[in-house]
Amino acid sequence: MPEPSGIDGWTCPVPLRETPTIVMGHGGGGRLSSELIEHLFLPAFRNPALEARGDAAVMEVPSGRLAFSTDAHVVRPLFFPGGSIGELAVYGTVNDLAMAGARPMHLSASFILEEGFPMGHLSAIVGRMAEAAKRAKVAIVTGDTKVVERGHGDGCYITTSGIGEVPEGRLVGPDRARAGDAVLVSGTIGDHGVAILSVREGLEFESEIVSDLAPLSDLVERLFSASVAVRAMRDPTRGGLAATLVEIAARSGVGMVLDEEAVPVRSEVRGACELLGLDPMMVANEGKLVAIVPEDQAETALAALRSLPIGREAVRIGSVVAEHPGTVVMKTSIGGRRVVSLPMGEQLPRIC
């Protein structure tokens, strides 16, 4: 785990420099809580709604439809190749909003901290959240902090909720796939889950496997700017690509046929999965999207996705069919067929 450097995110004067770890008082609502807000959260997330310091943020919102989502983050370890729980907490909710066709706008952030958690680690996480929010073009406008006794947590948990504007005419949902549609994915799969596992288990590979953690809202905007009539979108997080496609097939009452050779998997991720007995189709991603689009718009959609760096490896991996509704079938590289099923449980716990 990269060691966060000091508590550089704090402003002067810093009355808690003599308190290098979280203590119960930081969640007590008194002076220590106030100092944590004044000297860490406000400087990092600064915006008018947050600085009003009310019990709730008051914001101007557009007329029309809003999307609303919430997500809890309990990843272990808190820092991993390519990111930390801070970026994960921001992008997790941003991406859930984007998958509904929304333009993410505002987030809340709730911290559950364990007594004794190093203040320097918290400062590093908050700094990364601020950078992630800036990249994703969202504002963290309200939040909360609670502290649990030593031994009753795992350092830091973060829950984020968010709202976003859904522009007129965008109708996206997991029940809208139709027979004849194309199935696209924006890049290689399995990177995030294997990156987490490599750190957690102390595994070393020839080249470092880095999480694909990224905001997906710009990719989504490129699709709609290209006038692609997107039927369904999902970010294949827990359960991976397999769970995502099986759910869309079931909700839409259609089947899917995938081409195994077309599914992009980095060679080092494939090797790690073979070593560990994992199926890359079931390993989580945090910076990829699946899009179901009309057949005649597949090439336009791929061009739109590839126009941004995080989508440059976008490919078509299969088709939606009328046969075997609710079932996803994979055409294997050796000419056979197998059913892609939901994972029975959690292949890799505490990955997001």
Side-chain angles (χ1 to χ4, degrees):
M1 180 183 81
E3 188 68 22
S5 56
I7 48 178
D8 295 337
W10 290 67
T11 59
C12 292
V14 187
L16 297 184
R17 281 195 185 277
E18 296 181 358
T19 309
T21 62
I22 291 293
V23 298
M24 293 301 295
H26 287 127
R31 179 180 174 188
L32 288 178
S33 295
S34 178
E35 290 175 349
L36 197 62
I37 294 169
E38 292 284 353
H39 294 277
L40 183 59
F41 295 130
L42 279 177
F45 304 145
R46 189 174 298 282
N47 60 73
L50 184 63
E51 289 176 273
R53 303 288 300 272
D55 285 343
V58 179
M59 303 155 294
E60 297 290 336
V61 296
S63 61
R65 296 178 300 156
L66 293 176
F68 178 41
S69 184
T70 190
D71 206 352
H73 304 275
V74 297
V75 66
R76 181 173 61 85
L78 298 175
F79 298 86
F80 48 82
S84 73
I85 191 173
E87 296 100 318
L88 199 60
V90 173
Y91 297 152
T93 294
V94 162
N95 291 347
D96 285 346
L97 293 169
M99 293 306 100
R103 292 171 178 158
M105 300 167 58
H106 305 295
L107 301 185
S108 70
S110 176
F111 295 81
I112 307 295
L113 304 173
E114 183 181 7
E115 181 185 18
F117 187 65
M119 199 68 76
H121 288 198
L122 178 60
S123 176
I125 289 168
V126 169
R128 291 185 178 211
M129 288 182 72
E131 287 298 317
K134 183 178 179 181
R135 182 182 176 190
K137 305 180 185 72
V138 296
I140 298 172
V141 296
T142 189
D144 187 34
T145 305
K146 294 292 190 302
V147 179
V148 296
E149 295 87 347
R150 191 184 300 268
H152 288 251
D154 196 10
C156 176
Y157 303 140
I158 304 174
T159 295
T160 49
S161 299
I163 59 173
E165 172 194 12
V166 184
E168 185 68 26
R170 293 187 183 182
L171 297 173
V172 181
D175 59 344
R176 297 180 60 83
R178 299 291 180 267
D181 289 345
V183 182
L184 315 180
V185 65
S186 64
T188 56
I189 64 169
D191 298 3
H192 176 73
V194 173
I196 295 289
L197 189 65
S198 67
V199 178
R200 187 185 299 172
E201 303 301 330
L203 301 176
E204 294 185 0
F205 303 103
E206 289 187 2
S207 58
E208 185 180 41
I209 299 175
V210 176
S211 170
D212 59 347
L213 194 56
L216 297 169
S217 43
D218 286 345
L219 274 184
V220 172
E221 291 305 311
R222 288 295 175 100
L223 284 174
F224 286 106
S225 294
S227 299
V228 176
V230 181
R231 309 269 204 209
M233 285 187 296
R234 295 297 295 268
D235 56 335
T237 54
R238 287 182 300 168
L241 185 59
T244 295
L245 294 180
V246 170
E247 181 178 343
I248 293 174
R251 292 288 306 279
S252 297
V254 297
M256 292 186 190
V257 177
L258 308 181
D259 180 354
E260 185 175 43
E261 293 187 341
V263 177
V265 184
R266 297 190 194 286
S267 58
E268 54 268 40
V269 171
R270 187 183 300 282
C273 287
E274 290 175 354
L275 178 67
L276 300 166
L278 302 174
D279 182 349
M281 289 286 293
M282 298 181 182
V283 177
N285 314 271
E286 290 293 343
K288 299 297 182 331
L289 68 81
V290 171
I292 309 297
V293 303
E295 171 68 35
D296 62 355
Q297 297 182 15
E299 290 304 318
T300 300
L302 286 173
L305 293 173
R306 291 168 181 162
S307 67
L308 290 176
I310 63 170
R312 65 177 180 274
E313 297 177 292
V315 292
R316 175 175 181 163
I317 59 172
S319 300
V320 179
V321 298
E323 296 79 21
H324 49 76
T327 301
V328 177
V329 173
M330 178 86 83
K331 294 193 293 187
T332 68
S333 57
I334 59 173
R337 288 178 173 245
R338 70 176 175 90
V339 172
V340 176
S341 57
L342 286 171
M344 286 298 293
E346 193 77 76
Q347 280 205 125
L348 303 173
R350 304 283 302 277
I351 55 172
C352 60

